[in-house]
Amino acid sequence: MSTASPALNLPNMMTLARLASIPLFVVVFFLPFGWADVCAAAIFLLAGITDAWDGYLARRLDQTSRFGAFLDPVADKLIVATALVMLVQEHGNLWMAVPAIVIISREITVSALREWMAEIGARAKVAVSNIGKIKTVTQITAITGLLAGKPVIEMDGSLTLSPLLWVSYVLLYVATALT
């Protein structure tokens, strides 16, 4: 790991910006304007892109740090959990609640497992795999699509989903299965 100041490098600043974007993301999501859905989705997608870039840049620029290795997954889990909780509230159905519970539970469990494995000196045994990376891309894509369009609640209480939302639900279940 690099010996550079852990909080003053570009990758860590990107991670901190991702954390700082969470309150803005929440506020935009709940704004009563037609453009709020797409704007919230864009904020979430930008956070997903910076997640990929900060790790790449840390390795490329030799700016990896223990602080970054700790903070990056925390930032990812917080914004994903925030988005899923808001989507459960927005969609208000079992089809959204089940994957949200599975994904959030998995994130908490994996964080605890990594912490425990680090304590016993075996952190490498729970390193990110290629399936984990595919899950992350699928999850970010699904959540972005779910944020971009809200379901229409009909007079009889049923939900009408656009094609984007149907595809996003399918991707969310694929991500849940990969979880």
Side-chain angles (χ1 to χ4, degrees):
M1 300 230 169
S2 172
T3 58
S5 176
L8 298 179
N9 64 42
L10 179 60
N12 287 346
M13 289 171 52
M14 291 171 72
T15 301
L16 289 168
R18 200 161 60 250
L19 276 172
S21 74
I22 294 172
L24 174 66
F25 169 57
V26 172
V27 168
V28 169
F29 179 85
F30 286 106
L31 287 175
F33 303 114
W35 50 263
D37 298 344
V38 173
C39 190
I43 292 168
F44 183 83
L45 180 59
L46 182 60
I49 291 168
T50 63
D51 175 30
W53 271 96
D54 65 5
Y56 170 79
L57 288 175
R59 290 183 297 278
R60 179 84 172 159
L61 301 174
D62 192 29
Q63 294 182 345
T64 59
S65 66
R66 289 180 188 224
F67 177 70
F70 161 77
L71 193 62
D72 182 65
V74 170
D76 303 340
K77 288 166 182 34
L78 286 176
I79 198 160
V80 166
T82 299
L84 289 170
V85 167
M86 293 187 313
L87 287 168
V88 167
Q89 180 270 330
E90 185 68 38
H91 290 240
N93 64 54
L94 181 68
W95 302 107
M96 181 61 69
V98 169
I101 290 167
V102 169
I103 290 169
I104 292 170
S105 297
R106 180 256 182 210
E107 297 300 346
I108 292 168
T109 303
V110 167
S111 292
L113 177 62
R114 286 189 176 136
E115 181 68 26
W116 179 60
M117 295 299 277
E119 287 290 321
I120 64 171
R123 184 175 176 91
K125 291 187 179 188
V126 286
V128 177
S129 67
N130 285 334
I131 291 175
K133 292 177 183 182
I134 293 167
K135 185 266 312 174
T136 299
V137 169
T138 305
Q139 182 175 274
I140 289 169
T141 304
I143 293 172
T144 300
L146 291 163
L147 290 166
K150 295 183 178 172
V152 175
I153 301 173
E154 303 294 342
M155 296 295 282
D156 65 358
S158 65
L159 293 179
T160 300
L161 302 177
S162 68
L164 171 65
L165 288 178
W166 276 110
V167 169
S168 298
Y169 264 100
V170 169
L171 289 174
L172 184 64
Y173 273 82
V174 169
T176 303
L178 292 171
T179 291

